[in-house]
């Protein structure tokens, strides 16, 4: 009986010492962008989350994010615009179906309960470095990760030259996970 208890205790300690692996889910998540078009803020959402997140706030060096969203799911609440954004000039979803973000380092932020993401984002086959702060809130199934960052769409060949469409856009993430 003592051996069994020791085994259970060591298993529990082992679970605490290593990052837990979570799967991002569309349910409870929101991947949203906002961009100015003709000076008016317009936006949209993506779904089709997949990938894995290993996260342990007590051992951030073991934490890793590898998450993608389906570019084919773009939804701006305007079917004609969505169809246009799926074309070659914008997201070219036939060739590049996913937008991917991977971490190279997760570190603690100077703000309590906040963290710092360093990694890469890939859109239309173009990979660029990215950094942003995020929060991690425990949930019944795992965590909800919240963060935001800015991108220059032209860095990824999205949309070309445009006098009416801003180059900069803001992405807001709220990613729910499950074990």
């Amino acid at each position: 009986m003592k051996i069994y208890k020791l085994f259970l205790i060591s298993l529990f300690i082992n679970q605490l010492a290593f990052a837990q692996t979570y799967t991002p889910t569309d349910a409870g998540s929101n991947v949203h962008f906002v961009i100015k078009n003709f000076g008016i803020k317009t936006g949209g959402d993506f779904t089709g989350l997949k990938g894995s997140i290993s996260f342990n706030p007590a051992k951030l060096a073991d934490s890793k994010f590898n998450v993608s969203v389906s570019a084919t799911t773009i939804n701006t609440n305007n079917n004609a615009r969505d169809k246009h954004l799926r074309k070659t000039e914008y997201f070219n979803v036939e060739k590049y179906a996913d937008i991917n973000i991977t971490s190279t380092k997760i570190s603690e932020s100077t703000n309590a309960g906040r963290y710092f993401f360093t990694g890469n984002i890939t859109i239309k086959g173009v990979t660029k470095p990215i950094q942003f702060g995020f929060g991690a809130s425990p949930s019944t199934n795992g965590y909800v990760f919240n963060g935001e960052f800015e991108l220059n769409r032209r860095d990824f060949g999205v949309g070309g030259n445009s006098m009416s469409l801003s180059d900069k856009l803001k992405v807001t993430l709220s990613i729910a996970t499950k074990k």
Side-chain angles (χ1 to χ4, degrees):
M1 188 65 159
K2 283 184 179 182
I3 293 174
Y4 180 71
K5 285 182 183 179
L6 285 173
F7 174 74
L8 287 177
I9 291 170
S10 71
L11 184 62
F12 178 73
I13 290 171
N14 224 5
Q15 289 294 323
L16 291 176
F18 295 101
Q20 295 290 312
T21 300
Y22 303 96
T23 302
T25 65
D26 282 331
S29 293
N30 187 19
V31 177
H32 183 73
F33 69 91
V34 174
I35 189 167
K36 284 186 179 180
N37 190 15
F38 289 105
I40 299 169
K41 288 183 180 180
T42 187
D45 300 297
F46 292 97
T47 57
L49 284 164
K50 59 186 174 185
S52 66
I53 298 171
S54 296
F55 184 74
N56 181 343
K59 201 161 185 175
L60 292 173
D62 292 340
S63 296
K64 292 179 179 41
F65 289 66
N66 184 4
V67 178
S68 64
V69 66
S70 176
T72 64
T73 67
I74 192 165
N75 180 0
T76 64
N77 292 320
N78 180 319
N79 289 335
R81 183 186 309 139
D82 297 345
K83 186 176 179 182
H84 184 70
L85 291 173
R86 290 182 186 110
K87 291 184 176 182
T88 304
E89 181 185 357
Y90 287 89
F91 287 101
N92 194 4
V93 300
E94 286 188 26
K95 188 172 181 182
Y96 305 104
D98 293 326
I99 296 169
N100 186 259
I101 189 167
T102 56
S103 64
T104 55
K105 181 181 179 184
I106 303 298
S107 54
E108 202 165 1
S109 173
T110 55
N111 299 327
R114 300 280 302 168
Y115 306 93
F116 200 71
F117 179 100
T118 303
N120 296 299
I121 187 166
T122 303
I123 302 172
K124 282 184 74 173
V126 177
T127 301
K128 297 283 183 182
I130 188 167
Q131 296 180 331
F132 60 92
F134 71 94
S137 304
S139 69
T140 54
N141 294 325
Y143 277 91
V144 176
F145 298 97
N146 293 293
E148 62 183 37
F149 54 88
E150 288 189 354
L151 291 176
N152 184 327
R153 65 179 179 79
R154 293 180 63 191
D155 288 346
F156 301 94
V158 176
N161 293 331
S162 175
M163 293 186 70
S164 62
L165 187 62
S166 175
D167 291 344
K168 302 267 182 181
L169 64 122
K170 182 186 241 181
V171 178
T172 305
L173 304 172
S174 180
I175 308 298
T177 64
K178 65 180 181 179
K179 283 187 182 183

